[in-house]
């Protein structure tokens, strides 16, 4: 197997688009050689723990309503074309994602990491749920057959916070500045939400190479 490390944040629309496009390639090539690992990268590491009102956050980040609309227009166009089931209008709060990354970490220990990432993206972008909420994260854990009560108890502690922060910092030290970033076999970095066709070419090339 070839390791595919993916640095992401579950509130990043480009990460969701990138995952969706990669998933289509993986479905088309079920014998792909990838062993996928998800890694934390907080877009807003200084976000208040309780998060912010969505519109307030966008206006602050993009210097007003006009700036937010301009920045999000390419995202909206792609989502409308490729993922029409996404409804950004349902999102009322932009959360702090530290606890969501903790859930992904614990899901990895349980062998459910990709399921957790998928569930977080779905909860946030399709259902407009607050994935910074302890109760919502516990519900999501239950939805992917983890123990929701155990996750709720862990979220009430500082368990693995230092590890998530350290991994996020290490990603930045490696030169990762934006997500999604995909690192293939610890050698080749691919940035951004690449089209499915590119992933098909990569998979076919790697499959051919490993068969030699």
């Amino acid at each position: 197997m070839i390791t595919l490390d993916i640095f992401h944040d579950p509130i990043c629309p480009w990460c969701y688009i990138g995952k969706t496009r990669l998933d289509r390639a993986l479905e088309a090539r079920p014998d792909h050689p990838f062993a996928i690992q998800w890694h934390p990268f907080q877009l807003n590491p200084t976000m208040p723990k309780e998060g912010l009102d969505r519109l307030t956050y966008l206006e602050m980040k993009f210097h007003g309503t006009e700036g937010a609309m301009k920045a999000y227009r390419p995202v909206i166009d792609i989502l409308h074309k490729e993922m029409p089931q996404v409804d950004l209008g349902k999102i009322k709060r932009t959360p702090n994602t530290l606890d969501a990354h903790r859930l992904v970490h614990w899901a990895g220990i349980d062998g459910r990491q990709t399921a957790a990432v998928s569930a977080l993206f779905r909860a946030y972008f399709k259902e407009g749920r607050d994935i910074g909420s302890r109760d919502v994260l516990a519900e999501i854990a239950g939805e992917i057959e983890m123990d929701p009560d155990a996750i709720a108890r862990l979220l009430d502690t500082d368990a693995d916070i230092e590890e998530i922060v350290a991994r996020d910092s290490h990603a930045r030290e490696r030169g990762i500045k934006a997500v999604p970033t995909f690192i293939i076999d610890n050698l080749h970095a691919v940035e951004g939400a690449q089209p499915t066709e590119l992933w098909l070419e990569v998979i076919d090339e790697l499959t051919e190479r490993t068969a030699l």
Side-chain angles (χ1 to χ4, degrees):
M1 300 296 287
I2 294 172
T3 301
L4 179 60
D5 293 299
I6 307 176
F7 293 82
H8 80 297
D9 198 10
I11 63 167
C12 165
W14 291 112
C15 294
Y16 192 22
I17 293 166
K19 180 184 182 299
T20 300
R21 291 172 170 178
L22 172 62
D23 284 346
R24 290 172 182 150
L26 300 179
E27 290 169 7
R29 300 289 189 272
D31 296 327
H32 66 82
F34 289 138
I36 296 174
Q37 293 289 326
W38 293 88
H39 301 276
F41 187 99
Q42 282 192 278
L43 290 175
N44 308 296
T46 60
M47 175 71 69
K49 183 172 177 56
E50 66 276 11
L52 286 173
D53 171 79
R54 174 74 168 168
L55 292 179
T56 300
Y57 162 75
L58 290 175
E59 290 177 355
M60 288 172 56
K61 184 177 179 69
F62 297 110
H63 310 292
T65 302
E66 185 176 343
M69 291 178 63
K70 182 178 179 180
Y72 254 73
R73 177 51 56 192
V75 173
I76 292 170
D77 289 345
I78 290 174
L79 290 175
H80 180 72
K81 179 180 179 181
E82 298 187 28
M83 303 160 67
Q85 69 276 29
V86 169
D87 186 353
L88 297 180
K90 289 183 178 180
I91 302 172
K92 304 305 180 186
R93 295 194 68 76
T94 298
N96 181 307
T97 57
L98 179 60
D99 284 346
H101 283 297
R102 285 205 286 167
L103 176 59
V104 173
H105 171 68
W106 297 326
I109 297 171
D110 232 9
R112 302 178 189 278
Q113 193 181 48
T114 295
V117 172
S118 298
L120 287 164
F121 279 138
R122 180 175 64 251
Y124 187 66
F125 286 104
K126 292 184 181 180
E127 299 163 2
R129 293 157 75 186
D130 181 2
I131 60 170
S133 160
R134 163 197 182 271
D135 292 342
V136 170
L137 291 172
E139 289 171 3
I140 290 171
E143 291 163 10
I144 59 171
E145 300 181 356
M146 296 177 70
D147 184 338
D149 294 330
I151 294 300
R153 288 193 296 271
L154 281 170
L155 288 168
D156 285 336
T157 73
D158 293 336
D160 295 314
I161 287 178
E162 288 186 3
E163 175 162 345
I164 298 301
V165 171
R167 289 172 61 192
D168 185 301
S169 297
H170 180 61
R172 297 170 200 272
E173 290 166 4
R174 293 178 66 181
I176 294 172
K177 298 182 175 127
V179 286
T181 294
F182 306 83
I183 298 182
I184 303 169
D185 202 22
N186 206 34
L187 294 173
H188 307 289
V190 179
E191 298 181 349
Q194 299 298 325
T196 297
E197 292 74 19
L198 180 140
W199 285 115
L200 289 171
E201 291 175 7
V202 169
I203 291 170
D204 290 344
E205 180 180 333
L206 290 173
T207 300
E208 182 178 348
R209 187 185 307 170
T210 55
L212 295 178

